[in-house]
Structures are given as structure tokens and as C-alpha cells.
């Protein structure tokens, strides 16, 4: 059924039920809350929106593979249904069971030519139920194509606005904001050097407080993140294959913040760094994002004050980067088969091979340099480190029989020697005080017989050393 026929059929339903609609629904339309009629529209009069917010990254990725998605084609309709189902399989199963038992409770929104604006997932599930053949929906007074921007605004306010925080895949939100900015500003991409503030303001007014978006500058941050995501895809020749961004959002957000700071000049990086050093940081991070390095480790690369990350210390940073370059220089990347029947799986397989070949060494590189970083931090915090060591020693149960074992006592002797040696060079007086305190604690009548000769020898040695110090002073 083409758009003209769908429009005629839907209009017939409206005219037939104009005086007695199924119900009414208040929706945000043309900058106002408008009450509109709800009708029961036959499902076979409707087509899915291939740019639905839930599957936008998927359909855009397919289009990047030269796949032309025709929503009126049965094969492509089934493809969209699969994408919608795979977006939230567990949630879809729960909703399907509910629809079978209770029917459609939440009203959908469609354009007057039958494109589903809100409710694609619900319609997909209803199409799986034999005894339901209609969709309860408000019909917008425009076609999808004629009112594309107004519909975009409606979708954004209705689906992402403060009242309705839906569980979209994170990448879909970044794409949505990027597409809105391109449409509103007329610019091909976001640039902080020529930002269209009016478009930013308008997008923010449509989205409201969606999760991490609390002010207008957060819209700009989403656009910056999307720019870095696009650059990442270009780096690996995955241009516009947005499925390659899955499960990597937090790392991209972190990297975007670092680059924003370091390219502008920051005291959180090592002294004398150049923009080319920041370029290297970005390249290295792209490789770690590719293997999906855990975010808590990823932060070690550039997060926080300079003493807390690798890029804050030139020696550690250069060592990390050089070892990384050595690791990946031996890796031979396979060619991308852009004619693959399942490009997403093909690219995932390439990334998995990169991780299998280089991932362990890349992780070891992070761990090694994190130890070096901690050691550097410790050099400047002796009191804190000594306090930790003291607390750890005091936590030992000294009444435990293993505490008296030779291996444990040997380690205690080694620890004591290291401590006294360190103290002797800094404060001989405190060292002697420590020795005197220790000697005073020895209970002579409890010295084991097998140690008496040794104790006599060592006390004579102490006398000799004390005499020599006294004489020298």
C-alpha cells in the first residue's frame, strides 16, 4: 500500500469516526498542548518509521552499506521489525505478553500518511498477535515528509522530553541531537568555532532535562562527543557504521572532555606538551576504546589532576605510548569486506581479532604504568604511605602462631632494617632513640638458651659502636 492509498484509507477512518472517536489525548504540537482524537487504525494501513529513535543507528549503518530501506517492501518491513525486537528483547517479550492479555494501553502517534511517529515498537508487537488488527493512535494533521521538522520536534519533546525518559540505546540520542543540529542550523557538522547558538537553544528547549542534559552547554557536549565518535569510525574505515560504537559511550565522553581541555591548553597535562602530543593521546585512546577497555582503567590515561593520570607525567606518558606503538606495530589488520551479508558481525569480528591479538599486552601496559604512576605519587606523599604501612602492620594478629614462624620473623627483620636504615640517614638521634626503646623492651630472663651466646656477642658490638660514636663526637 503506497502513501496515497494509506492517506485515503486513514482519512476514511477519521471521517467515519469523527463524531465518535475512540478517545482523546493531549500532546505537545506546534508549541502548544493540543487535544487530539484517538482512532483505531487498521495495522495494515501503517508503515514503520525507519528513522525511529530506537533503531536510528542501525538503519543509518545499513544505509552506509548502500542498503536502501523501503518501508513499503515486505522484506524490509521484516528487517525493521527485527531491529525493533533486537533493540530490547527482554522488554519486548514482557510487553508482548501484556499486549496479549490487556491489549494496547498506550496510544501511538502517526502521520496522516500512515508513518508511525511514536509507537513503532508497540505496533511491531501488535503485528505478532493474531486477534489484534488495529492500532490506537492520534493522527497528526500532516504527512511525514511535509512536516519532517515539526515531527522531529514532536518526537524529541514527546519521546525524550522531561515527561518521558525512554530507555534508548545511548548512541541513538547522540545521533538524534546531531541530526537536529544539522537540520536547524543548516551546517554539515558542529564546530565550536562557528556554533549556531539559536539551534542549541532550540534543541535544549525540546529535550528538556534528559538524563545528563541539564543545560544548553550539555547539548554542545553531546555534539562534541558525536564528532569524536565520527572521527573514531573514520579512523578505522567504519564511516557511518554506528553499530561499531556500541558499549563505548563512557570512554568517548571521557576522551571528549580530555581533548577539549588539552587542546585548549591545560595545567592538567605534563609541562611543555604540544597539540601533536594530544593527537597521539587521541590515537592511543581510540585503540583502547576499540578493545572496550574498562572505564575505571581508561580514566588512568587522562582523567583528573595531572598527578592522577599518565598524560600528566611526561616520562610515564612517553613510555606508555612507545610501548603501545610497539605492540600494535606487529598487528596486521585484515581488509574490510564491505559486501559482507552482515557487516556489523564482520566488523565486530575484526575488533575481536584486534583485541585477541593485542588486548592482553595493551592491558598489561596500562597496569604497568599505573604502578609507576602510583610510585610517583608515593614519592610526594611519604607521610600518607607510611601511615598506610603502619596501619597494615598494626592490623596483623601478633598472637597468631604463624607470627612467630621463621619466615615471618625474617620479613619483620628485613622491614625493621629497611626502616632503621632509612631513618639513620635522616635523623641519627631518632634512630638511637628507637634502638634504646627496643633494648629496654628485651626481657633478659626470657632470652632463650639457644640465643644467649648470640645476644652476648651482639650487645658487645652495640657497646663498641656506641663508644666509637661517642668518641667521634
Amino acid at each position: 500500500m503506497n502513501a496515497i492509498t494509506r492517506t485515503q484509507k486513514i482519512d476514511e477512518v477519521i471521517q467515519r469516526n469523527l463524531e465518535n472517536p475512540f478517545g482523546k489525548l493531549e500532546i505537545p504540537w506546534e508549541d502548544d498542548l493540543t487535544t487530539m482524537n484517538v482512532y483505531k487504525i487498521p495495522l495494515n494501513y501503517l508503515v514503520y518509521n525507519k528513522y525511529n529513535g530506537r533503531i536510528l543507528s542501525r538503519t543509518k549503518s545499513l544505509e552506509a552499506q548502500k542498503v536502501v530501506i523501503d518501508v513499503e517492501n515486505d522484506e524490509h518491513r521484516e528487517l525493521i521489525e527485527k531491529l525493533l525486537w533486537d533493540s530490547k528483547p527482554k522488554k519486548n517479550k514482557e510487553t508482548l505478553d501484556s499486549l496479549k492479555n490487556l491489549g494496547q494501553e498506550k496510544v501511538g502517534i502517526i502521520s496522516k500518511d500512515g508513518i508511525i511517529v511514536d509507537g513503532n515498537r508497540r505496533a511491531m508487537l501488535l503485528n505478532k498477535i493474531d486477534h489484534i488488527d488495529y492500532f490506537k493512535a492520534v493522527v497528526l494533521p500532516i504527512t511525514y515528509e511535509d512536516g519532517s521538522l515539526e515531527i522531529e520536534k514532536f518526537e524529541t519533546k514527546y519521546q525524550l522530553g522531561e515527561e518521558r525518559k525512554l530507555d534508548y540505546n545511548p548512541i541513538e540520542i547522540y545521533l538524534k541531537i546531531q541530526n537536529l543540529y544539522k537540520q536547524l542550523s543548516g551546517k554539515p557538522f558542529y564546530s565550536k568555532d562557528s556554533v549556531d547558538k539559536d539551534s542549541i537553544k532550540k534543541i535544549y528547549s525540546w529535550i528538556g532535562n534528559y538524563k545528563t542534559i541539564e543545560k544548553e552547554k550539555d547539548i554542545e557536549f553531546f555534539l562534541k562527543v558525536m564528532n569524536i565518535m565520527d572521527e573514531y569510525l573514520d579512523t578505522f574505515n567504519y564511516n557511518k557504521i554506528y553499530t561499531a560504537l556500541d558499549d563505548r559511550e563512557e570512554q568517548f565522553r571521557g576522551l571528549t572532555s580530555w581533548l577539549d581541555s588539552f587542546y585548549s591548553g591545560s595545567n592538567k597535562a605534563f609541562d611543555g606538551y604540544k597539540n601533536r602530543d594530544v593527537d597521539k593521546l587521541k590515537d592511543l585512546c581510540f585503540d583502547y576504546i576499540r578493545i572496550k577497555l574498562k572505564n575505571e582503567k581508561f580514566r588512568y590515561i587522562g582523567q583528573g589532576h595531572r598527578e592522577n593520570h599518565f598524560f600528566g607525567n611526561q616520562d610515564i606518558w612517553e613510555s606508555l605510548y612507545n610501548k603501545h606503538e610497539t605492540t600494535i606495530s606487529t598487528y596486521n589488520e585484515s581488509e574490510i569486506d564491505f559486501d559482507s551479508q552482515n557487516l556489523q558481525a564482520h566488523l565486530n569480528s575484526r575488533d575481536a581479532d584486534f583485541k585477541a591479538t593485542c588486548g592482553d599486552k595493551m592491558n598489561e601496559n596500562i597496569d604497568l604504568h599505573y604502578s609507576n604512576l602510583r610510585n610517583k605519587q608515593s614519592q610526594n606523599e611519604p607521610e600518607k604511605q607510611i601511615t598506610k604501612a603502619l596501619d597494615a602492620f598494626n592490623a596483623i594478629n601478633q598472637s597468631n602462631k604463624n607470627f612467630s614462624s621463621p619466615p615471618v620473623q625474617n620479613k619483620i627483620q628485613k622491614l625493621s632494617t629497611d626502616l632503621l636504615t632509612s631513618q639513620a640517614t635522616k635523623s641519627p638521634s631518632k634512630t638511637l632513640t628507637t634502638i634504646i626503646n627496643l633494648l629496654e623492651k628485651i626481657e633478659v630472663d626470657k632470652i632463650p638458651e639457644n640465643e644467649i651466646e648470640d645476644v652476648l656477642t651482639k650487645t658487645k658490638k652495640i657497646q663498641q659502636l656506641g663508644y666509637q660514636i661517642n668518641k667521634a663526637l
Side-chain angles (χ1 to χ4, degrees):
M1 192 180 295
N2 61 31
I4 295 174
T5 305
R6 289 196 308 272
T7 303
Q8 291 172 345
K9 293 286 188 182
I10 291 169
D11 189 57
E12 288 172 8
V13 173
I14 293 173
Q15 296 306 319
R16 197 164 53 241
N17 298 279
L18 196 58
E19 300 302 321
N20 188 29
F22 177 80
K24 293 183 180 293
L25 183 69
E26 194 177 58
I27 66 170
W29 184 248
E30 294 183 337
D31 300 320
D32 199 4
L33 277 176
T34 304
T35 301
M36 294 190 180
N37 289 339
V38 176
Y39 299 99
K40 294 169 76 171
I41 309 293
L43 281 162
N44 63 342
Y45 293 180
L46 306 176
V47 292
Y48 299 112
N49 176 10
K50 65 180 178 180
Y51 296 133
N52 176 299
R54 287 188 178 279
I55 59 173
L56 183 60
S57 66
R58 272 58 190 156
T59 51
K60 288 277 190 182
S61 296
L62 287 169
E63 288 179 338
Q65 301 169 55
K66 311 303 181 189
V67 175
V68 178
I69 302 175
D70 178 3
V71 294
E72 295 172 357
N73 178 289
D74 287 343
E75 184 181 338
H76 291 182
R77 174 180 57 79
E78 291 172 5
L79 171 62
I80 293 174
E81 287 182 335
K82 183 178 185 307
L83 294 175
L84 286 166
W85 179 269
D86 290 345
S87 68
K88 290 286 177 184
K90 184 178 178 182
K91 180 71 173 174
N92 283 331
K93 188 175 185 311
E94 293 171 357
T95 306
L96 181 60
D97 291 339
S98 174
L99 289 170
K100 286 178 180 178
N101 295 324
L102 303 173
Q104 180 190 348
E105 295 182 281
K106 193 177 292 183
V107 173
I109 314 287
I110 65 172
S111 63
K112 75 176 190 178
D113 54 341
I115 295 178
I116 302 170
V117 176
D118 180 70
N120 283 267
R121 188 175 69 93
R122 266 165 283 151
M124 174 270 295
L125 296 171
L126 288 169
N127 275 318
K128 294 180 181 292
I129 303 172
D130 292 336
H131 65 274
I132 299 178
D133 59 3
Y134 57 84
F135 186 58
K136 300 172 191 173
V138 162
V139 182
L140 298 176
I142 53 175
T143 64
Y144 194 88
E145 186 175 345
D146 290 343
S148 59
L149 186 57
E150 192 62 38
I151 287 176
E152 279 273 20
K153 179 170 79 172
F154 166 77
E155 284 181 316
T156 306
K157 295 180 76 168
Y158 195 64
Q159 296 175 342
L160 302 183
E162 190 170 4
E163 297 303 315
R164 301 188 54 176
K165 295 177 173 62
L166 300 184
D167 51 350
Y168 286 109
N169 181 345
I171 182 58
E172 316 298 350
I173 312 303
Y174 292 90
L175 276 172
K176 182 86 167 172
I177 290 173
Q178 184 186 62
N179 287 341
L180 284 172
Y181 183 76
K182 287 179 179 179
Q183 280 186 274
L184 291 168
S185 68
K187 296 176 182 290
F189 55 86
Y190 165 84
S191 169
K192 67 178 183 180
D193 296 327
S194 60
V195 61
D196 185 327
K197 291 293 185 181
D198 289 339
S199 296
I200 298 295
K201 186 185 292 290
K202 191 169 290 187
I203 295 170
Y204 177 71
S205 72
W206 292 357
I207 289 181
N209 293 324
Y210 178 84
K211 294 184 178 178
T212 55
I213 299 175
E214 298 177 351
K215 37 191 166 310
E216 288 178 20
K217 72 175 185 178
D218 294 330
I219 298 293
E220 287 198 63
F221 183 69
F222 268 64
L223 289 166
K224 290 175 184 177
V225 174
M226 193 66 239
N227 280 356
I228 297 300
M229 288 177 172
D230 280 332
E231 188 173 348
Y232 168 86
L233 295 176
D234 290 347
T235 297
F236 298 111
N237 295 316
Y238 294 177
N239 187 277
K240 297 189 184 306
I241 310 297
Y242 297 110
T243 50
L245 302 173
D246 287 352
D247 304 320
R248 295 173 168 94
E249 180 200 11
E250 285 305 310
Q251 287 84 348
F252 279 117
R253 289 178 66 87
L255 176 58
T256 301
S257 293
W258 307 343
L259 297 178
D260 212 24
S261 172
F262 297 150
Y263 277 130
S264 301
S266 172
N267 59 9
K268 293 181 179 179
F270 64 83
D271 290 334
Y273 79 94
K274 308 293 184 186
N275 278 351
R276 62 176 176 270
D277 297 306
V278 187
D279 293 339
K280 290 179 180 179
L281 171 74
K282 180 171 59 180
D283 291 342
L284 176 138
C285 286
F286 280 175
D287 285 334
Y288 276 104
I289 289 172
R290 190 179 183 191
I291 69 167
K292 295 184 180 179
L293 181 70
K294 290 183 178 179
N295 203 41
E296 54 266 30
K297 281 191 175 184
F298 189 76
R299 293 190 188 105
Y300 302 158
I301 301 174
Q303 182 77 26
H305 296 295
R306 72 159 65 180
E307 65 270 14
N308 294 327
H309 60 79
F310 304 146
F311 201 65
N313 184 290
Q314 186 172 4
D315 291 339
I316 290 177
W317 162 249
E318 290 180 351
S319 173
L320 174 87
Y321 182 79
N322 290 336
K323 285 183 183 297
H324 177 71
E325 286 294 287
T326 300
T327 295
I328 64 171
S329 65
T330 60
Y331 180 68
N332 294 316
E333 187 87 85
S334 63
E335 292 292 323
I336 299 175
D337 179 10
F338 287 104
D339 295 325
S340 171
Q341 292 298 307
N342 189 337
L343 185 58
Q344 179 181 346
H346 172 58
L347 297 183
N348 286 344
S349 177
R350 291 177 86 250
D351 289 345
D353 182 68
F354 176 70
K355 182 174 182 177
T357 307
C358 303
D360 286 345
K361 287 184 178 179
M362 289 170 65
N363 263 291
E364 288 170 9
N365 197 19
I366 292 288
D367 292 341
L368 170 66
H369 287 87
Y370 183 65
S371 282
N372 293 344
L373 182 67
R374 294 297 295 159
N375 290 337
K376 289 281 187 183
Q377 292 171 331
S378 299
Q379 290 175 3
N380 298 322
E381 299 177 323
E383 183 178 357
K384 183 185 291 186
Q385 298 304 317
I386 289 171
T387 299
K388 284 184 181 178
L390 187 59
D391 289 343
F393 185 79
N394 288 335
I396 297 171
N397 180 7
Q398 297 186 20
S399 62
N400 186 293
K401 64 179 181 180
N402 291 327
F403 187 78
S404 301
S405 67
V408 172
Q409 289 301 307
N410 287 339
K411 288 184 182 298
I412 291 174
Q413 183 181 11
K414 172 70 166 58
L415 177 61
S416 300
T417 302
D418 288 349
L419 289 172
L420 287 172
T421 300
S422 174
Q423 191 178 53
T425 60
K426 305 296 182 184
S427 177
S429 176
K430 282 186 170 56
T431 304
L432 291 171
T433 299
T434 301
I435 293 171
I436 291 168
N437 289 338
L438 291 172
L439 290 172
E440 288 175 344
K441 284 182 171 55
I442 295 176
E443 299 180 50
V444 178
D445 56 341
K446 292 184 179 180
I447 296 175
E449 281 193 34
N450 63 338
E451 290 190 9
I452 290 177
E453 286 298 322
D454 194 37
V455 169
L456 286 170
T457 301
K458 288 174 179 173
T459 52
K460 285 180 182 178
K461 182 67 173 176
I462 290 171
Q463 287 177 330
Q464 290 171 359
L465 292 171
Y467 174 76
Q468 288 172 6
I469 292 172
N470 195 283
K471 185 178 179 181
L473 293 173

